[in-house]
């Protein structure tokens, strides 16, 4: 099992550019989550999907951020235009909910630097 | 408001048991206690969870007090690879929700 796959692992861009982060969840998982981690704010939930449908996007910081899940095996998080304060590590996680157990499997993260 | 309170850091000698406390005095009846850890530069990793009974798996044990207002994660024989930030999270069962991470406890295993 390859686990959750994220790409790219590192991204350096200039302010104002569009950034797209990608995630492939574990096959068969029905939930997908996007988190952001910074030193100042720690780990924050941005948005999550159930069966490809966005359920809660209240953590998305502003309209510059958007996320899509066109199918069960792929999701994107897009920032347009990017700003230096978006610099962070972005994690994708997936889970298969059964009974009352919800174990989330995290990817390795994408380290984004906006200059 | 934080739902859990953890010490910011702890040290433990290699080979000893590491006991990580968590206070969750406002926990509701349908909420579970989950523990995750994050090793430097990696994504968080699930360790264990429980509702009211003590739980044990190959990684750790979870002791929940009878009133459920606090819990302790026990790593029975800590190794250097257990150095990480440990997060105690309270979350409802019965479905997936995004996890709310606090600041966690930075556990440092000393050789």
């Amino acid at each position: 099992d390859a686990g959750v796959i994220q790409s790219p692992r590192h991204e350096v861009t200039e302010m104002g550019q569009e950034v797209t982060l990608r995630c492939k969840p574990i096959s068969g998982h029905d939930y997908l989550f996007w988190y952001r981690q910074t030193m100042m704010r720690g780990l924050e939930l941005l948005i999550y999907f159930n069966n490809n449908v966005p359920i809660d996007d209240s953590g998305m910081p502003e309209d510059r951020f958007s996320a899509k899940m066109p199918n069960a095996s792929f999701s994107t998080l897009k920032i347009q235009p990017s700003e230096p304060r978006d610099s962070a590590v972005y994690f994708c996680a997936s889970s298969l909910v059964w009974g009352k157990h919800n174990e989330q499997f995290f990817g390795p993260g994408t380290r984004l630097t906006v200059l | 408001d934080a739902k859990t309170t953890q010490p910011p850091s702890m040290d433990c000698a290699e080979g000893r048991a590491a006991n990580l406390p968590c206070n969750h005095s406002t926990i509701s009846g349908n909420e579970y206690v989950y523990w995750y850890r994050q090793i430097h530069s990696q994504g968080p990793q699930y360790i264990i969870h429980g509702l009211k009974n003590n739980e044990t798996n190959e990684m750790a044990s979870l002791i929940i007090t009878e009133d459920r207002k606090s819990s302790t994660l026990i790593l029975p024989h800590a190794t250097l690879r257990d150095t990480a930030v440990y997060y105690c999270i309270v979350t409802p069962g019965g479905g997936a929700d995004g996890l709310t991470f606090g600041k966690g406890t930075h556990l440092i295993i000393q050789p």
Side-chain angles (χ1 to χ4, degrees), chain A residues 35 37 100-102 104, chain B residues 32 34 36 38 49 97 99:
Chain A
Y35 293 85
Q37 186 171 32
K100 293 187 180 296
H101 179 41
N102 170 20
Q104 296 187 14
Chain B
Y32 287 70
Y34 274 74
Y36 280 73
Q38 186 175 24
H49 77 286
D97 291 291
L99 298 172

Side-chain angles (χ1 to χ4, degrees), chain B residues 39-53:
Chain B
I39 295 170
H40 182 61
S41 297
Q42 298 183 20
Q45 174 193 24
Y46 166 84
I47 302 173
I48 197 168
H49 77 286
L51 182 62
K52 51 186 175 182
N53 297 324

Side-chain angles (χ1 to χ4, degrees), chain B residues 10 12 19 34 36 45 49 56 59 61 67 76 89 99 101-102:
Chain B
M10 292 181 64
C12 179
N19 295 275
Y34 274 74
Y36 280 73
Q45 174 193 24
H49 77 286
T56 295
M59 288 182 69
S61 294
D67 63 7
I89 299 166
L99 298 172
F101 289 84

